[in-house]
Amino acid sequence: MNRVRVPPQPVEQGVILSVVNGHLSGQTIVKGKPLPKARSLVLRWAPIGTDGKPGTWTEVGLTNPRAIPVNGLTPGANYAFQLRALGVLGYGDWSEISTRIAV
């Protein structure tokens, strides 16, 4: 039986399915799309400044994108969130930015 070996492929772009407020003040729950070829994922978030642009990003590595709690956000502040995957060939592209006002 001949097997054709397929070389590694890049991972897909990250996808955020939803960003919702958590049960605690300053908590947000980010839900991402599982990517089959991902070895791990990186979630990043930043407050959005008065100029409408994200400020300094905070990053966290994770293995399961289904429900990622982000704690310690400032209530009333607007935040940007992005997700990307790490595969055999390196990191995929960042997801589109999702925004949420923390409560």
Side-chain angles (χ1 to χ4, degrees):
M1 173 185 272
N2 286 338
R3 290 189 180 171
V4 176
R5 184 166 173 92
V6 177
Q9 301 295 311
V11 290
E12 296 175 38
Q13 178 179 10
V15 176
I16 293 178
L17 299 175
S18 68
V19 179
V20 297
N21 294 323
H23 297 293
L24 305 173
S25 178
Q27 182 185 60
T28 298
I29 308 297
V30 179
K31 295 181 181 178
K33 176 183 172 187
L35 301 174
K37 295 182 174 124
R39 292 185 166 185
S40 64
L41 299 125
V42 177
L43 174 69
R44 72 179 184 177
W45 63 93
I48 297 175
T50 55
D51 60 358
K53 296 178 183 177
T56 302
W57 292 98
T58 299
E59 293 187 3
V60 64
L62 50 115
T63 56
N64 184 348
R66 295 182 197 278
I68 310 154
V70 177
N71 297 304
L73 303 178
T74 303
N78 195 11
Y79 286 86
F81 298 88
Q82 285 187 300
L83 186 68
R84 72 176 176 176
L86 173 64
V88 175
L89 299 178
Y91 287 102
D93 292 332
W94 286 107
S95 67
E96 296 294 322
I97 289 178
S98 293
T99 60
R100 185 76 180 185
I101 296 175
V103 295

